[in-house]
Amino acid sequence: MDTLPRANRSTAIQIWLFPNSVVNAIRALIAQFSTDDDHFMIGIFVTANSLDRRMVTFKKVLLSLASLAASATAQSSATCDNGTGGTGICFQTYFDPVYGGWYSWVFPAAGDTTYTNEFIGQMIVPIAGKWAGITLGSGMNSNLLIVAWPNNGAIVKGARQAYNYAQPTQYVGPTITTLASTINSTHWKWTYRCQNCTSWYINGASGGVDLSAYSVFGWAYSTTAVTTPTDAYSNMVQHDDARLFGATSLSKFFLPIQELILEGIRAGFDAPSARSSSYSTYVNVGKTSTTSASSTKTSSVSSTKTSSTSSTKTSSTTTTTSAIVTVSPTPYDYVVVGAGNCGLVVADRLSEAGKNVLLIERGGPSTYNTGGREIPPWLTGKALTRFDVPGLFEAMFSSSNPYWWCNDISVFAGCLIGGGAAINGALYWYPPDADFALDNGWPSGWQTPNDALAKLKARLPYTQTPSPDGKLYLTQVYDVVSKLLNARNFQAADINSNPNWKNYVYGRPAFSFQGGTRTGPMATYFQTAKARSNLKFWQYTYVTGLVRTNGTITGVRTNYTAYGGNGIVPLTTKGRVVLSAGAFGTARILFQSGIGPSDMISLVAANSQYSPYLPPASAYLNLPVGYNVSDNPSINLVFTHPSVDSYDNWAPIWSSPRAADAAQYAANQTGIFAGTSPRLNYWEALGGSDGKTRYLQGTARPGAASISTVYSYNASQIFTITVYLSHGITSRGRIGVDSTMYGKVITNPWFQDPVDKAVLITGINNLLSTMSSVSGLTMITPDNTTTITNYVNNYTPATMNSNHWMGSTKIGTSNTTSVVDANTKVWGTTNLFIVDAGIVPGQPMSNPHAMLMTVAEAAVPKILALAGGA
């Protein structure tokens, strides 16, 4: 998406930007009319591949230039995507007559407050086009770029930015969702929703789309494929062609001389006409398809405007820039960053206390009651999205358009309302006292948080029978594994009835589901919070840093640049900020605010996008942000048993599930789809050679993520036991960012202490010691070509990740070893708090869903009780 930059205006040289065809025609005119005695410098004609300057006869070329200039800035027209394979969406469209591409946009109606900062777009590109893209401004630099291409029957897409006329890189913030796609023998067609896309901050400047006026947009087209077609941010060679179209008047493109001729002609993208009252319907257009269908474009072209102007008219050379409508900023008592497992609890409890709260989420809706509308094809007409249906959990990892994952960190994390609670397996274990013990790193005052846990239980109780009919489904894995454990004298129990019993015990999974649907904090805390007038909620808004004077935070910087003209959310006099953006997200915000180790802040200081907003170096806070990170090392063991139903390894559940099960769930939300895949959990306490006790948790489920075996096996009978090491592990790692602020793991947290590995190997061997007691049970991964020790030693670290990242902003009693104090306040600040998984100093004993919500319930009273706040 490369175009040549236009030079600044001057009295000596001016620049026109035209397509190549127009430039060639102008060149012909120059050659025809040029003389040596009568000349006038018209300008420099620029295309992506040429630069030509001639002295021309002004009087003779004037009218010809006027005609050509008008054709060079074709106006967008109204089109509707009707016919076979059409979406029914009506757009404002620009047609490229050279290559035959269509580039279209539609925006929400004026005054719409539901669908803010977004649009729906469409590209129809000749099949020879290996990639295409659009820019939402007058060139690639400092404007949002959307790039896409077809690959193996699907559309690969991404948002990009360019700091100069070079390779565009990933731009973080937008969420792009494919609404429909068609690929046939002549064209590929892609209809998409782009959220958090009409304002941006790139290259040290704010930008955005002005929907009150004609706008300057552009497109790029290439017949050369990108380097890695499966990678949305692959390198690519320069496009074959790229063109701009549009202006409020042609003064946006042309010299003052042309304003004498063409004054009053309006050309380009008709942004005001691109608004539609049907937008709320359009966002629910069907899912991605790759059928070879044709579509019909109906067009109602705006009337062509003409003008007659006097050649003696004079004009100023003032250049105007369309401004984004600015929203007056409102100060808040509390700004909560992140609407995940903890942030939703924090925002609800703070607003319940009467505080004026702004809750900011970088992603968008998840479940139906949060505004999500991605409904499975077999549930059409039901108010049930992929996030509402527990049984679709496994499909989170196989979608061709997994927009729910954060796209700027190297591990799985949820960037949508509910965060991890919207996309996880929803195993919901009440925390034992040991999770908050002094020897697990918690400071005094956090032990046995009974009040917080009681509040959580009242708002979100657990269930072991997720199907509302009270029946248990797909129980074969439980039956088999319970025999394996019974042979070792384990006891069956309702685990949450006694959270402190975590040794030689197993039970059915506990879930945070209600009524056969995913509930979590989205259906509880979020619903009561957003019903209060003193809480405001922003989605698709990316927090880039904190505005602070030494240790006092005065505002939160966002990419919503229309807000106050700079995207900064101010605080009231005693206002506070609570970061709940997760172990990676919160750490990055701190780095970009001058809080953290010097090597991370140095990377920010070297980044042209974020360095201007760092505080003075004298105000940097050197805290161990990103250190002390832990995650459960997890090992998968795959088995077969003739009684087990692997449930087709969960592969067809999104598009073509078993008909009877789908029908049952559609009718009354009962059956297999009322729960996620886990069927049994167990715990065992294990002693290490260092004298410390570590806890092992096992989770058993039908199916398998991967299989490596020399055995022949029946794929319909496979199941997996995932063995985790949890509470008591001593290994720690480090996370951080790279030069682009991409979040990454710097030091893996697994098995840094060899005792952790030795204990986990012991736990696996213990589990397998009674296999012979279960008739028909066979372990196929690992198989008999290796030992358990070698299997664990050779286990790929990337697949050992449990995505239970803790400790990056550890709580503690010293600013040399922790990031927040016992009240969750960041050391060295007066009004900055962190409440998320990052503050947890040691791994909890079980999946952390309920434990983290308990942390949030316990933290809010401490924050409110602390003097000096609103």
Side-chain angles (χ1 to χ4, degrees):
M1 297 192 65
D2 217 316
T3 59
L4 290 173
R6 286 182 287 167
N8 294 328
R9 298 205 171 199
S10 70
T11 56
I13 297 177
Q14 304 288 347
I15 285 180
W16 301 350
L17 274 178
F18 293 123
N20 291 329
S21 57
V22 176
V23 171
N24 291 335
I26 294 176
R27 282 175 172 155
L29 284 169
I30 294 172
Q32 178 182 349
F33 294 123
S34 181
T35 66
D36 293 330
D37 60 322
D38 185 11
H39 60 269
F40 190 93
M41 180 174 280
I42 298 294
I44 300 172
F45 304 104
V46 179
T47 72
N49 302 308
S50 65
L51 183 64
D52 196 69
R53 184 185 307 184
R54 297 286 180 89
M55 308 298 282
V56 299
T57 304
F58 172 68
K59 294 179 181 178
K60 296 180 181 179
V61 79
L62 198 57
L63 294 177
S64 298
L65 284 174
S67 175
L68 286 167
S71 68
T73 54
Q75 184 165 325
S76 64
S77 60
T79 64
C80 292
D81 182 22
N82 296 323
T84 304
T87 61
I89 299 176
C90 292
F91 298 92
Q92 276 289 313
T93 297
Y94 175 76
F95 174 68
D96 160 36
V98 178
Y99 298 97
W102 299 73
Y103 302 89
S104 307
W105 295 263
V106 63
F107 294 82
D112 187 299
T113 58
T114 301
Y115 302 99
T116 58
N117 202 14
E118 70 173 78
F119 67 88
I120 293 173
Q122 186 180 81
M123 298 181 189
I124 302 179
V125 182
I127 200 67
K130 301 306 180 185
W131 66 263
I134 57 100
T135 173
L136 296 175
S138 55
M140 65 182 281
N141 271 0
S142 302
N143 291 305
L144 180 62
L145 314 175
I146 305 298
V147 184
W149 56 85
N151 182 59
N152 289 332
I155 301 298
V156 180
K157 73 281 186 188
R160 301 198 182 205
Q161 60 188 341
Y163 298 122
N164 50 48
Y165 291 90
Q167 185 79 229
T169 58
Q170 179 182 5
Y171 178 66
V172 175
T175 296
I176 305 173
T177 305
T178 295
L179 300 181
S181 67
T182 301
I183 303 170
N184 61 27
S185 61
T186 62
H187 289 78
W188 55 273
K189 170 181 166 185
W190 177 47
T191 307
Y192 61 98
R193 181 183 181 188
C194 196
Q195 296 165 290
N196 198 23
C197 291
T198 59
S199 63
W200 53 83
Y201 187 87
I202 298 173
N203 205 15
S206 300
V209 179
D210 182 2
L211 294 175
S212 67
Y214 278 62
S215 296
V216 182
F217 284 2
W219 57 266
Y221 174 90
S222 177
T223 56
T224 302
V226 301
T227 305
T228 309
T230 57
D231 180 2
Y233 301 102
S234 169
N235 286 342
M236 56 181 62
V237 299
Q238 182 176 331
H239 45 66
D240 293 4
D241 205 350
R243 307 188 184 191
L244 302 175
F245 61 96
T248 301
S249 72
L250 292 186
S251 63
K252 289 253 181 146
F253 279 120
F254 302 110
L255 304 176
I257 250 177
Q258 272 53 60
E259 292 174 5
L260 304 181
I261 309 165
L262 305 173
E263 181 74 16
I265 295 180
R266 296 178 65 82
F269 182 74
D270 187 354
S273 296
R275 290 181 174 274
S276 175
S277 60
S278 299
Y279 192 89
S280 61
T281 300
Y282 293 162
V283 299
N284 294 316
V285 161
K287 310 300 178 286
T288 302
S289 72
T290 55
T291 55
S292 297
S294 61
S295 63
T296 302
K297 280 275 185 179
T298 60
S299 176
S300 174
V301 181
S302 303
S303 60
T304 302
K305 298 187 179 180
T306 61
S307 65
S308 60
T309 56
S310 169
S311 61
T312 60
K313 183 178 177 181
T314 61
S315 174
S316 68
T317 62
T318 304
T319 300
T320 59
T321 302
S322 297
I324 304 171
V325 177
T326 300
V327 179
S328 298
T330 299
Y332 290 91
D333 296 333
Y334 285 86
V335 177
V336 180
V337 180
N341 213 26
C342 291
L344 291 177
V345 176
V346 171
D348 182 48
R349 294 305 189 189
L350 289 174
S351 60
E352 182 184 50
K355 309 302 180 183
N356 289 317
V357 178
L358 172 64
L359 174 61
I360 300 176
E361 168 54 42
R362 61 173 288 182
S366 54
T367 54
Y368 197 93
N369 59 17
T370 68
R373 292 298 182 270
E374 190 187 9
I375 296 172
W378 50 277
L379 285 173
T380 301
K382 302 289 185 180
L384 295 164
T385 71
R386 74 157 60 240
F387 307 101
D388 288 285
V389 183
L392 290 175
F393 161 65
E394 296 285 348
M396 299 292 180
F397 304 93
S398 58
S399 170
S400 62
N401 181 34
Y403 57 86
W404 45 89
W405 301 121
C406 301
N407 60 7
D408 56 357
I409 62 174
S410 62
V411 302
F412 284 125
C415 279
L416 74 175
I417 298 173
I423 56 177
N424 62 12
L427 291 172
Y428 186 63
W429 308 112
Y430 294 154
D433 293 340
D435 279 358
F436 292 94
L438 290 170
D439 62 9
N440 202 31
W442 287 92
S444 178
W446 280 86
Q447 288 64 56
T448 57
N450 295 332
D451 289 344
L453 184 55
K455 291 179 181 178
L456 176 62
K457 291 178 179 179
R459 291 298 301 275
L460 188 59
Y462 76 97
T463 181
Q464 289 185 304
T465 52
S467 180
D469 59 10
K471 298 178 181 179
L472 296 169
Y473 293 83
L474 213 63
T475 62
Q476 303 96 332
V477 169
Y478 179 92
D479 296 337
V480 171
V481 179
S482 63
K483 292 178 182 177
L484 192 66
L485 297 171
N486 288 338
R488 295 184 55 217
N489 296 319
F490 275 65
Q491 297 184 51
D494 176 348
I495 303 299
N496 274 349
S497 66
N498 184 2
N500 288 325
W501 184 13
K502 288 295 190 303
N503 188 24
Y504 271 70
V505 64
Y506 70 90
R508 299 189 186 278
F511 298 109
S512 58
F513 303 145
Q514 294 176 8
T517 63
R518 185 182 292 270
T519 306
M522 301 82 70
T524 50
Y525 292 89
F526 183 55
Q527 300 305 313
T528 51
K530 71 177 184 177
R532 300 187 184 103
S533 61
N534 59 316
L535 182 134
K536 304 300 180 186
F537 174 60
W538 292 357
Q539 57 186 348
Y540 300 116
T541 304
Y542 191 77
V543 171
T544 59
L546 305 171
V547 182
R548 66 185 180 92
T549 301
N550 295 318
T552 299
I553 312 303
T554 59
V556 175
R557 189 182 301 278
T558 74
N559 65 348
Y560 178 24
T561 51
Y563 197 73
N566 54 16
I568 296 175
V569 181
L571 301 177
T572 56
T573 304
K574 295 183 177 181
R576 290 168 165 173
V577 175
V578 181
L579 299 180
S580 297
F584 283 82
T586 290
R588 177 168 42 209
I589 292 171
L590 293 176
F591 298 149
Q592 292 171 183
S593 306
I595 302 174
S598 59
D599 59 346
M600 293 295 103
I601 298 177
S602 294
L603 290 172
V604 179
N607 183 295
S608 60
Q609 181 175 356
Y610 296 104
S611 60
Y613 305 106
L614 282 172
S618 60
Y620 292 171
L621 294 174
N622 185 10
L623 296 174
V625 179
Y627 286 94
N628 192 63
V629 171
S630 68
D631 178 43
N632 306 110
S634 60
I635 302 293
N636 286 327
L637 309 172
V638 183
F639 303 81
T640 63
H641 191 274
S643 71
V644 166
D645 178 359
S646 68
Y647 208 67
D648 309 310
N649 208 15
W650 307 95
I653 54 177
W654 172 257
S655 58
S656 55
R658 295 181 184 180
D661 294 337
Q664 179 181 358
Y665 187 83
N668 51 26
Q669 287 74 69
T670 63
I672 289 176
F673 281 94
T676 53
S677 54
R679 288 299 183 269
L680 177 145
N681 291 90
Y682 77 93
W683 286 262
E684 181 178 1
L686 298 164
S689 61
D690 56 3
K692 298 178 180 178
T693 299
R694 292 163 175 83
Y695 285 80
L696 181 146
Q697 176 189 341
T699 299
R701 64 178 184 86
S706 63
I707 298 172
S708 176
T709 186
V710 297
Y711 300 145
S712 60
Y713 64 93
N714 187 335
S716 68
Q717 299 175 354
I718 58 174
F719 71 95
T720 301
I721 301 178
T722 302
V723 181
Y724 309 82
L725 206 60
S726 61
H727 181 93
I729 59 173
T730 51
S731 297
R732 295 293 186 270
R734 186 189 179 194
I735 65 170
V737 295
D738 64 15
S739 60
T740 67
M741 302 297 104
Y742 185 81
K744 65 177 187 176
V745 180
I746 296 174
T747 303
N748 285 333
W750 315 290
F751 298 156
Q752 294 298 324
D753 184 344
V755 180
D756 284 344
K757 179 188 289 188
V759 169
L760 183 56
I761 290 172
T762 296
I764 295 174
N765 284 323
N766 287 349
L767 173 68
L768 302 178
S769 64
T770 54
M771 271 189 60
S772 60
S773 66
V774 183
S775 178
L777 180 62
T778 302
M779 184 170 67
I780 61 173
T781 302
D783 55 32
N784 64 359
T785 63
T786 187
T787 65
I788 292 299
T789 297
N790 287 338
Y791 180 63
V792 173
N793 285 338
N794 295 321
Y795 211 83
T796 305
T799 60
M800 200 178 295
N801 178 359
S802 299
N803 285 300
H804 298 157
W805 297 90
M806 309 278 172
S808 59
T809 51
K810 176 187 172 184
I811 196 170
T813 57
S814 167
N815 63 3
T816 61
T817 59
S818 61
V819 177
V820 301
D821 65 17
N823 293 308
T824 74
K825 183 167 65 70
V826 174
W827 293 105
T829 70
T830 61
N831 60 342
L832 176 61
F833 300 80
I834 300 174
V835 182
D836 61 26
I839 73 170
V840 178
Q843 275 292 322
M845 205 166 287
S846 312
N847 305 73
H849 179 19
M851 186 268 186
L852 292 175
M853 296 180 74
T854 305
V855 168
E857 283 280 20
V860 172
K862 295 178 185 294
I863 295 171
L864 289 172
L866 196 63

